[in-house]
Amino acid sequence: MKPISRRSALTLGGLGLAGTAVGGVGLWWSSSSARPARPTAGEELREPSELRSANGRLQLRLDAAPGTIEIGGRTANALSFNGGIPGPTLRLKAGDRLGVTLHNGLEDPTNLHVHGLHVSPEGNGDNPFVTVVPGETFDYEFQLPADHPPGAFWYHPHHHGLVADQIFGGLYGAIIVEDPEPIEAVRERVLVISDITLDGQGRIPSVAPMEQMMGREGELVLVNGQVNPLLSARPGERERWRIVNACVSRYLRLRLDGQQMQLLGIDSGRFATPEAVEDIVLTPGNRADLLVTMVEGLAVLEAQPYDRGRAGGMMGGSGQPRSGTAAGRARLATLTVAGEPVTAAPEVPVQPAPRDLRGSTVTARRELTFAMGMGGMMGSGGMMSFTINGQRFDGERVDITVEAGSVEEWTLRNTSPMDHPVHLHVWPMQVVESDGGASGAAIWRDVVNVPARGQARVRIAFDDYTGRSVYHCHILDHEDEGMMGVIEAR
Ligand code: C2O
Ligand code: CU
Ligand code: CU
């Protein structure tokens, strides 16, 4: 990625400032258009660069900066960590210490969040209240506990009001916490899926108010910053895929027809036994830890339409996100399986059964109501407000105080006509009820979908840490508009 001058960099200050709104003007070809991804056929999937801990420690510098980068064979003006979209993959083990010096080369404030890691939210830990102003650096330290669950996690900026712009611009990367006992696979791939819109000049247009209300979706869906990259393998090979949904708002209903997929876990930890799956739904922020056993032939990794509701007719326009319609279908990658077959990989060793809080004593029950109402956003008349229990985010207010070490049960209610993927930092959630049905096995997530006009019930063990953190809708436009609350454990 080549640095470009501040002046010519895209403006990401505030919401909806300079630039043209996406009105269908001068858009690039899109991955879901009638001309599917022809320009890049033949481009092999690139892996993000990788940094691995040694002797219990990984220390690195992340430079967040604007620059030019090649996307789909064209030059785009975007943002990146260390010049790459995605930023480097960080490989850690339970018990490791991760040190990150974040340098802010942007024109706006930023900071860093390690999504899904069970680490302290205080001080220079996973603290979403830190502000790193342009030109400054900040030293983060994250200490993973010795029993940290394995899985795929990710990092991204978390400065309230700018999160959607900065992630949409290209600021994200994967974190892998390795298994204590390795699972056999011929190769491992990290697939960071994101979306972006670029105008005819390769710039990211500012978001239109309606897009922002629905949660913006990019015209291009990228895998490791590439448009429809090629993967190849031999029949019988078993690969490990770590899939991150880094899209700001887009839900991914992934299919890989003709191939055998086994899900090892979602977000963090493992299912006791792998689950054979045909499709995988990842809300924004979710990750899948997957085994793919290769079957000879050509297969397409596809995102199929997912209906996450609509913002309602109040604003004019359909209010329906594109990913909910047939036009939202996207071809993400193409897999060719050919050559000499290899012998099948051994069965995956049985994993310890996940913890189950359904038998635990609950010290508090709470209800959180996620609502969209008229008025409120940026004081501009006619826009919608995004609230939790009737309130917009205020970093100075503590909304929920929990007792450290306790177990709570939260009912997440959604009175709005759109789904909200609800995320809590630091402490994962066990889903005990969703869509009106009780869960069978113990299901853990750090982003839980709360369907339009529906609810979900979760249990949370507030183990190990005290301090202030946040919970929010992971449609990051909704979060930036105020659908976030402050929690303090003490
Ligand atoms: Cu992925 Cu609060 O964030
Ligand atoms: Cu997070
Ligand atoms: Cu939302």
Side-chain angles (χ1 to χ4, degrees), residues 113 115-116 156 423 425:
H113 167 51
H115 179 129
H156 62 75
H423 174 49
H425 287 205

Side-chain angles (χ1 to χ4, degrees), residues 116-446:
L117 289 188
H118 181 58
V119 293
S120 169
E122 292 190 296
N124 63 345
D126 187 25
N127 183 344
F129 303 101
V130 165
T131 296
V132 187
V133 300
E136 294 292 304
T137 60
F138 187 84
D139 289 309
Y140 285 96
E141 283 279 335
F142 309 103
Q143 175 65 55
L144 276 62
D147 61 352
H148 195 287
F153 305 87
W154 61 303
Y155 57 90
H156 62 75
H158 215 290
H159 195 278
H160 179 63
L162 297 170
V163 183
D165 279 349
Q166 293 184 355
I167 295 181
F168 200 71
L171 295 173
Y172 40 80
I175 301 173
I176 307 295
V177 178
E178 309 280 8
D179 302 284
E181 299 288 337
I183 292 172
E184 235 181 270
V186 290
R187 68 186 68 81
E188 187 169 321
R189 304 183 194 262
V190 172
L191 306 176
V192 180
I193 303 177
S194 61
D195 58 0
I196 194 168
T197 301
L198 297 162
D199 67 14
Q201 271 76 54
R203 288 166 192 273
I204 300 170
S206 66
V207 62
M210 187 65 192
E211 292 283 322
Q212 208 174 0
M213 280 197 341
M214 296 188 295
R216 76 189 75 176
E217 293 183 353
E219 289 285 323
L220 294 169
V221 186
L222 309 176
V223 178
N224 294 350
Q226 293 173 281
V227 178
N228 189 18
L230 286 180
L231 290 71
S232 44
R234 287 163 61 188
E237 283 185 329
R238 184 165 77 194
E239 295 191 355
R240 178 88 173 264
W241 291 11
R242 317 278 201 158
I243 304 177
V244 179
N245 184 359
C247 297
V248 163
S249 316
R250 184 187 292 264
Y251 283 52
L252 296 169
R253 184 194 295 281
L254 300 174
R255 288 192 72 94
L256 183 65
D257 288 349
Q259 301 295 319
Q260 285 172 19
M261 298 197 292
Q262 287 174 290
L263 202 51
L264 295 172
I266 292 273
D267 289 357
S268 71
R270 295 273 160 277
F271 306 152
T273 51
E275 199 182 297
V277 289
E278 301 259 287
D279 62 11
I280 305 168
V281 175
L282 297 179
T283 74
N286 279 148
R287 291 85 59 206
D289 199 333
L290 189 69
L291 291 175
V292 182
T293 303
M294 300 296 167
V295 178
E296 185 156 15
L298 195 73
V300 175
L301 178 65
E302 206 181 43
Q304 297 208 323
Y306 180 96
D307 181 8
R308 58 183 178 90
R310 50 182 68 223
M314 295 102 145
M315 290 290 295
S318 84
Q320 182 170 32
R322 193 151 178 262
S323 63
T325 69
R329 191 183 189 113
R331 174 185 282 241
L332 305 184
T334 304
L335 169 68
T336 309
V337 182
E340 270 301 292
V342 304
T343 50
E347 291 271 289
V348 176
V350 173
Q351 304 291 306
R355 181 176 183 192
D356 195 338
L357 298 177
R358 283 173 292 188
S360 305
T361 307
V362 166
T363 49
R365 288 176 207 272
R366 302 178 197 273
E367 286 197 6
L368 280 68
T369 300
F370 293 77
M372 289 163 65
M374 288 307 291
M377 195 186 82
M378 298 175 64
S380 48
M383 293 300 292
M384 289 184 131
S385 66
F386 290 80
T387 56
I388 305 174
N389 289 351
Q391 291 190 292
R392 299 184 64 205
F393 174 71
D394 176 354
E396 301 300 312
R397 182 184 72 221
V398 174
D399 298 286
I400 295 178
T401 304
V402 302
E403 190 189 317
S406 68
V407 172
E408 296 202 352
E409 183 171 283
W410 292 8
T411 301
L412 310 172
R413 264 189 229 298
N414 181 354
T415 59
S416 79
M418 300 197 83
D419 289 17
H420 299 290
V422 174
H423 174 49
L424 170 65
H425 287 205
V426 184
W427 300 279
M429 298 173 275
Q430 181 183 350
V431 184
V432 295
E433 184 207 301
S434 63
D435 296 321
S439 302
I443 298 169
W444 287 87
R445 294 274 187 286
D446 56 50

Side-chain angles (χ1 to χ4, degrees), residues 419-421 473 475 478 483:
D419 289 17
H420 299 290
C473 176
I475 289 176
H478 295 174
M483 199 175 252

